[in-house]
Amino acid sequence: MIQVGTYLRVCDNTGAKDVCCIKVMKGYRKRYASIGDVVLVSVKSLRSKRRSKAKIQKGVLTRALILRTKSKVISKDGTEMSFLNNSVVLLNRQNKPLGTRILGGVPKLIRYTRYMKVASMASGLLK
């Protein structure tokens, strides 16, 4: 469960390393976000290699799709899923991914949302 103030890792090749959640999108007074939700984030730090060629700069506000959370997510068939870190993929204003690659696996839940492009860019799908 992601809320305002949560630090997240970026798992794409945009050049950002850490971001901080500023707002949970979708809904009136929605407090928590889970896998598949969109949040508004601020870029806090960049990766050390090729900072000048990064697609995004420090301090920029952008949208992000949550891919992995530490808290357990229970799917409709009863399987539980949790990860070692909270991670996101950065999106532009049209909800298209900013990066061209996604590092690590993506939960299968993402495949059945409007973010099919993110699922197809990933190295693998996780149950």
Side-chain angles (χ1 to χ4, degrees), residues 38 62-64 90-98 114-118:
V38 176
T62 185
R63 296 175 185 218
L90 300 181
L91 304 172
N92 62 10
R93 288 190 184 270
Q94 290 80 30
N95 289 330
K96 304 287 184 205
L98 283 175
R114 58 186 282 194
Y115 304 103
M116 184 60 184
K117 174 87 174 170
V118 173

Side-chain angles (χ1 to χ4, degrees), residues 75-100:
S75 63
K76 290 181 181 177
D77 62 350
T79 58
E80 294 180 352
M81 196 179 345
S82 65
F83 298 95
L84 295 176
N85 59 3
N86 299 320
S87 62
V88 295
V89 171
L90 300 181
L91 304 172
N92 62 10
R93 288 190 184 270
Q94 290 80 30
N95 289 330
K96 304 287 184 205
L98 283 175
T100 57

Side-chain angles (χ1 to χ4, degrees), residues 5-114:
T6 304
Y7 270 71
L8 307 152
R9 305 286 293 194
V10 178
C11 61
D12 60 12
N13 64 343
T14 54
K17 184 178 181 183
D18 291 322
V19 294
C20 180
C21 178
I22 291 178
K23 184 176 181 180
V24 177
M25 307 295 275
K26 210 174 182 184
Y28 176 67
R29 289 190 182 175
K30 189 170 180 187
R31 179 177 271 182
Y32 302 112
S34 184
I35 294 175
D37 291 340
V38 176
V39 293
L40 185 68
V41 296
S42 171
V43 177
K44 293 297 182 183
S45 64
L46 300 175
R47 299 202 183 272
S48 59
K49 289 189 175 183
R50 299 182 185 161
R51 285 185 184 216
S52 61
K53 294 183 181 180
K55 296 177 184 175
I56 200 155
Q57 298 302 317
K58 186 176 173 183
V60 173
L61 296 180
T62 185
R63 296 175 185 218
L65 174 69
I66 299 174
L67 290 185
R68 297 188 276 264
T69 59
K70 282 187 176 181
S71 62
K72 287 183 183 177
V73 176
I74 301 171
S75 63
K76 290 181 181 177
D77 62 350
T79 58
E80 294 180 352
M81 196 179 345
S82 65
F83 298 95
L84 295 176
N85 59 3
N86 299 320
S87 62
V88 295
V89 171
L90 300 181
L91 304 172
N92 62 10
R93 288 190 184 270
Q94 290 80 30
N95 289 330
K96 304 287 184 205
L98 283 175
T100 57
R101 287 187 317 162
I102 294 178
L103 309 171
V106 171
K108 212 171 196 175
L109 307 171
I110 301 297
R111 189 172 185 192
Y112 305 112
T113 61
R114 58 186 282 194

